[in-house]
Amino acid sequence: KIFDTNRFLANPEINLSPQIIFLLFLPLGTFILFNGLLMYTVSFIGLLLLRKKFKLSILPFAFIFLLFNFNGNIIAHMAVGHSMWFAYFLLPFYFLFLFEVVENRSPLKSSIKLSFVLFLMILQGGFRIVIWSFLFYTFICLFNVEIKQDKLKFTLVKPYFLTLFFTVMLGAIRIFPTVFGFPSKKPELLSGFASLEHMWVALTVAKDHLTPFGYPIAAWWEYNIFISLAGMAFLFFWGIYLFVRKDKFKYAPYLAAVIVFVFLSMNFNYNLIASIPISALYSQRAPSRLLIIPLLMIVILAAKDLQGVLDDSKNNKMYNHLIYLISLVLIAFSAFSLIKHINLWKIKYLQEYYHQLGVQISIPTISQINDPTIKFLFLIGFVTTVISIILLYKFYYKNEINFFKKKI
């Protein structure tokens, strides 16, 4: 029984992405390596598109590349075998299109692109990452307001609900069968970060899988979000700059959402969300995992502002060279620290550890049963997904939804 169900297709963390066809030709271990390399390549393309969007030079891009690909969250979860974390490598596209939505560049097209990214995450088995991503988008939507004629106007309401609807329709092939997969009642919530000190340690101190569970009661990979002291120095310096720059209010919705997510990732604060009677929300048992989304947002914004300072200081060569020198030193120390951290989480160490504990990982018994309900839900979901892809393709290139007889 996996994820509160013994139905294979009802488990939202099962990989049903197009590349699973290669399982017909590749052994399981080889396929996992292949899929990892494929998703890493896709993420690198996404990072390059972010670089193009913000016109980043090599130094700011190097920070994004290092902190995105080698932070403690992705390294630890990959090491312990959480294959659903391959969906993480689609996050560069999520942020890219989220920026487009907030900037109000063709809301319909941006919503469709963001929905397709979330759909691909769902296929990869990353439903948890999709929930965090949507929750983050929700808070950005709530904080993105304009005051007109003494009235508050939530400017992202339309694209938000478009994205939600499109994602559900696209992901129907996975979402419909999972009505049997989500827990029928709220599971016990693990504690998030016990304190800001605990969070600081997780960000700056390289720890391995042998770190005692202690308090809170969870394995260290649930808290590991290591980016090194040099990485934190980069974020702190440019993060402070975000608050003092002239157009700081431009970033207000992002920063407000970041603060809310930091709050929710601590102790049992996520109960505020888990109390909402929606299974996708109360099924999130480890709130510390939430921190990766705001962290990556700050990394991107900090890199963007570093580029802005480098551009503005071109006429002051001494200041420009000083910024370059400091950035190079921080990159070098970050890379060194992140490599040391990777060595702590080599898979062979975890294999040896669990072997010493006598843990036997056996192949589960697979039985075939006639389950017409699951078959029906999967078929309806498949048809809904295919029709949605065709319609959204049409809407995207027409930049309008005919049902409303107007452009959105």
Side-chain angles (χ1 to χ4, degrees), residues 341-359:
H341 174 264
I342 290 173
N343 288 331
L344 294 176
W345 286 88
K346 285 184 176 178
I347 294 177
K348 67 177 184 179
Y349 295 151
L350 280 87
Q351 289 176 326
E352 293 171 358
Y353 173 69
Y354 287 112
H355 180 72
Q356 292 171 2
L357 292 179
V359 176

Side-chain angles (χ1 to χ4, degrees), residues 27 29 43 91 138 171 183 278 310 312 328 357 385 389 391:
S43 78
L91 283 174
T138 300
I278 299 176
L310 291 173
D312 294 340
L328 283 172
L357 292 179
T385 294
I389 291 173
L391 289 177

Side-chain angles (χ1 to χ4, degrees), residues 43-107:
S43 78
F44 187 69
I45 294 172
L47 292 176
L48 288 177
L49 290 175
L50 281 171
R51 180 188 182 186
K52 180 180 179 181
K53 175 179 177 60
F54 295 121
K55 300 177 181 178
L56 302 179
S57 60
I58 190 64
L59 284 180
F61 180 72
F63 275 114
I64 292 182
F65 176 79
L66 284 173
L67 300 184
F68 178 85
N69 287 301
F70 306 111
N71 66 72
N73 180 279
I74 186 61
I75 295 300
H77 282 285
M78 287 286 101
V80 298
H82 290 172
S83 61
M84 65 289 293
W85 250 253
F86 281 128
Y88 167 93
F89 292 107
L90 291 167
L91 283 174
F93 294 94
Y94 162 75
F95 287 110
L96 179 68
F97 300 137
L98 181 62
F99 282 120
E100 283 191 12
V101 170
V102 176
E103 292 164 1
N104 201 29
R105 295 183 180 179
S106 183

Side-chain angles (χ1 to χ4, degrees), residues 243-263:
F243 286 98
V244 300
R245 57 180 295 158
K246 292 181 181 178
D247 59 343
K248 56 181 177 293
F249 292 109
K250 176 181 177 181
Y251 294 101
Y254 303 119
L255 297 175
V258 166
I259 293 170
V260 171
F261 256 54
V262 169
F263 172 78

Side-chain angles (χ1 to χ4, degrees), residues 131-150:
I131 299 303
W132 312 335
S133 300
F134 238 111
L135 195 57
F136 192 71
Y137 184 14
T138 300
F139 287 115
I140 289 178
C141 180
L142 291 175
F143 290 117
N144 202 87
V145 296
E146 291 181 356
I147 301 177
K148 290 186 176 181
Q149 298 178 347
D150 296 329

Side-chain angles (χ1 to χ4, degrees), residues 169-180:
M169 291 298 100
L170 286 169
I173 190 174
R174 297 305 314 278
I175 294 172
F176 289 3
T178 58
V179 295
F180 289 97

Side-chain angles (χ1 to χ4, degrees), residues 87-252:
Y88 167 93
F89 292 107
L90 291 167
L91 283 174
F93 294 94
Y94 162 75
F95 287 110
L96 179 68
F97 300 137
L98 181 62
F99 282 120
E100 283 191 12
V101 170
V102 176
E103 292 164 1
N104 201 29
R105 295 183 180 179
S106 183
L108 176 60
K109 284 190 172 184
S110 299
S111 297
I112 291 174
K113 287 188 284 187
L114 186 55
S115 300
F116 265 101
V117 172
L118 296 170
F119 166 54
L120 293 175
M121 287 184 184
I122 291 172
L123 289 183
Q124 195 65 44
F127 103 95
R128 295 185 188 278
I129 298 177
V130 171
I131 299 303
W132 312 335
S133 300
F134 238 111
L135 195 57
F136 192 71
Y137 184 14
T138 300
F139 287 115
I140 289 178
C141 180
L142 291 175
F143 290 117
N144 202 87
V145 296
E146 291 181 356
I147 301 177
K148 290 186 176 181
Q149 298 178 347
D150 296 329
K151 292 183 179 180
L152 287 178
K153 180 182 179 182
F154 294 91
T155 57
L156 295 179
V157 170
K158 186 180 291 184
Y160 175 83
F161 283 104
L162 281 175
T163 304
L164 178 60
F165 178 72
F166 293 159
T167 302
V168 172
M169 291 298 100
L170 286 169
I173 190 174
R174 297 305 314 278
I175 294 172
F176 289 3
T178 58
V179 295
F180 289 97
F182 284 111
S184 56
K185 61 180 181 179
K186 179 182 172 182
E188 181 184 358
L189 186 70
L190 299 175
S191 173
F193 295 99
S195 62
L196 289 176
E197 180 185 2
H198 183 207
M199 186 182 292
W200 174 262
V201 170
L203 286 162
T204 60
V205 180
K207 292 177 176 287
D208 62 14
H209 61 285
L210 297 175
T211 302
F213 286 13
Y215 175 81
I217 305 173
W220 185 252
W221 58 74
E222 298 295 5
Y223 303 103
N224 191 350
I225 197 163
F226 178 75
I227 61 171
S228 77
L229 274 171
M232 283 301 293
F234 166 73
L235 293 189
F236 264 118
F237 184 76
W238 299 112
I240 292 173
Y241 181 75
L242 283 172
F243 286 98
V244 300
R245 57 180 295 158
K246 292 181 181 178
D247 59 343
K248 56 181 177 293
F249 292 109
K250 176 181 177 181
Y251 294 101

